[in-house]
Amino acid sequence: ARKTLERTLPKDIKSQDREKVREEAAQGLKRLKKIQMPDDQAQTETELGEILFCLAKLCYLSKVDPEEALRKATNRYMSFCLK
């Protein structure tokens, strides 16, 4: 996702663009709530993919490495589970 974003997003991204991406992710979560999981696997996959891409875009705009952020979150989760 990062490589795609680097090629496609303009270099002069503004802070209001981060707000727009946050709103896109929030809308995706609202749509996901409406899906009858697990009955509609394809739609669930589509919405989760859209949300993940929005989050990757938000990481890019915030200059955060999404893979590193996920790795750290996974480590925190594992530390919590292993207590």
Side-chain angles (χ1 to χ4, degrees):
R2 185 182 69 230
K3 289 179 182 178
T4 298
L5 291 168
E6 287 172 352
R7 286 193 313 263
T8 60
L9 287 178
K11 300 301 178 198
D12 58 345
I13 297 295
K14 307 282 190 279
S15 61
Q16 64 265 27
D17 294 317
R18 283 195 297 262
E19 283 303 314
K20 181 180 175 188
V21 173
R22 284 187 189 109
E23 182 58 31
E24 289 172 7
Q27 292 299 318
L29 288 170
K30 286 179 185 177
R31 288 190 304 271
L32 186 63
K33 283 183 179 181
K34 294 178 183 177
I35 297 171
Q36 299 298 314
M37 293 187 273
D39 297 338
D40 196 342
Q41 183 70 24
Q43 187 62 33
T44 299
E45 182 179 285
T46 297
E47 286 303 330
L48 286 171
E50 293 293 326
I51 293 165
L52 286 170
F53 192 79
C54 281
L55 294 175
K57 191 188 307 184
L58 187 58
C59 285
Y60 177 81
L61 295 173
S62 302
K63 297 183 181 4
V64 171
D65 181 342
E67 292 178 19
E68 185 62 23
L70 181 58
R71 188 174 2 271
K72 288 178 180 179
T74 301
N75 290 339
R76 286 190 301 274
Y77 174 79
M78 291 303 294
S79 294
F80 174 77
C81 288
L82 296 176
K83 285 184 178 182

